[in-house]
Amino acid sequence: MPPTGPTVYLSTPTEYWEMRTAPIQEGPVGYTYNGSTYITYSGSASWISNAYSVGILSLKANSDPLVAANWAKSGPILDRHSNVFGPGSVVFVPSPDDSEYWVMYHAIDKANCQPSAYACRDIRLQQMFFDPSGYPILGYPVDPGVDLPLPAGESGSLKGHTLVANFGDAWGDHAEGNNNGGLVAGKWNYTDRFGATSSLGGTWDQIFSPWNPNPQDFTAPEEVPLGRTGTTTGFEQDGFYVGNADGN
């Protein structure tokens, strides 16, 4: 059925991950899940190996989809990581027994593909999840050569799940096939899809966003009196610290 009615602009490139080399949004795919409506799309220059990424627009509940202000942009929900560059054009597909969802996308293995990224693309598939509202949790793109289980229902694979994202203790290292690197410490309490807290014997309290490692802006309130210093280091024992060992 051909589309009818007026054409409206819903979104334009504004974020740095949509403007690498060129300001571009393309390849929109709309879907609904658990009563929520979303549009995924690819951003930045598709012909540059290390530029492409994936964003998402979320429609406010019970609102007019033809009004741009009713859509909220977030992302990237899939971006370059480790030895994977330029992921884009995501499509969500069910496993053969419908108990899991997998994300199909294209990406490349090197940042200097010539004469352009188009010459090195291949199609990839890895398991994805949804949070209870229907927001997609894609995780990091998995490195080439990392073994993955078969989709549930294929060749006798066991029934899976869609609503619990478990990327392993190693977080980003897990996608690189390294389940021993980057291990978390302490006991973690996952409060919701936006955060988790942990306490290391009363020495350090931590908060972490466990659900989607790709969004690169994370905000947390903090109100702590400063003053004490450690007995073995010069660092303050009270305060708000941010650390990131992954350059991607």
Side-chain angles (χ1 to χ4, degrees):
M1 178 181 296
T4 60
T7 298
V8 297
Y9 283 102
L10 297 181
S11 180
T12 191
T14 57
E15 305 301 317
Y16 72 93
W17 48 270
E18 302 172 301
M19 303 195 302
R20 295 168 180 156
T21 304
I24 294 173
Q25 291 179 330
E26 61 185 9
V29 178
Y31 73 95
T32 60
Y33 192 91
N34 281 4
S36 297
T37 300
Y38 302 91
I39 297 174
T40 60
Y41 63 92
S42 300
S44 293
S46 61
W47 62 92
I48 302 298
S49 302
N50 204 21
Y52 226 30
S53 62
V54 179
I56 188 169
L57 300 176
S58 306
L59 182 64
K60 295 179 182 177
N62 304 313
S63 64
D64 185 350
L66 296 181
V67 176
N70 291 335
W71 294 88
K73 178 193 299 185
S74 56
I77 61 170
L78 193 67
D79 201 0
R80 58 197 184 195
H81 180 265
S82 187
N83 295 314
V84 182
F85 303 93
S89 303
V90 298
V91 178
F92 307 152
V93 294
S95 62
D97 68 355
D98 292 324
S99 69
E100 295 174 341
Y101 269 89
W102 289 62
V103 56
M104 182 169 62
Y105 61 98
H106 62 69
I108 60 179
D109 296 350
K110 52 187 177 181
N112 59 348
C113 184
Q114 298 297 328
S116 74
Y118 304 144
C120 303
R121 281 181 175 175
D122 53 32
I123 304 299
R124 303 167 184 230
L125 192 70
Q126 65 187 63
Q127 190 178 2
M128 61 167 292
F129 304 88
F130 293 97
D131 78 3
S133 71
Y135 189 91
I137 309 301
L138 306 186
Y140 288 118
V142 176
D143 269 13
V146 174
D147 290 333
L148 297 175
L150 292 173
E154 182 157 332
S155 300
S157 295
L158 298 177
K159 182 177 180 180
H161 51 85
T162 62
L163 293 179
V164 179
N166 179 12
F167 298 106
D169 287 340
W171 304 104
D173 294 313
H174 193 67
E176 301 165 18
N178 177 8
N179 294 325
N180 295 314
L183 295 176
V184 298
K187 183 178 180 180
W188 290 79
N189 175 38
Y190 299 106
T191 55
D192 53 37
R193 79 174 175 92
F194 295 107
T197 59
S198 176
S199 179
L200 296 178
T203 304
W204 294 96
D205 292 317
Q206 306 165 87
I207 185 169
F208 186 74
S209 178
W211 285 92
N212 195 334
N214 289 295
Q216 298 181 25
D217 295 324
F218 182 70
T219 302
E222 181 270 329
E223 186 173 327
V224 179
L226 301 179
R228 294 181 299 162
T229 57
T231 57
T232 57
T233 72
F235 292 108
E236 297 279 4
Q237 285 187 326
D238 300 315
F240 187 63
Y241 299 87
V242 176
N244 185 2
D246 193 321
N248 297 293

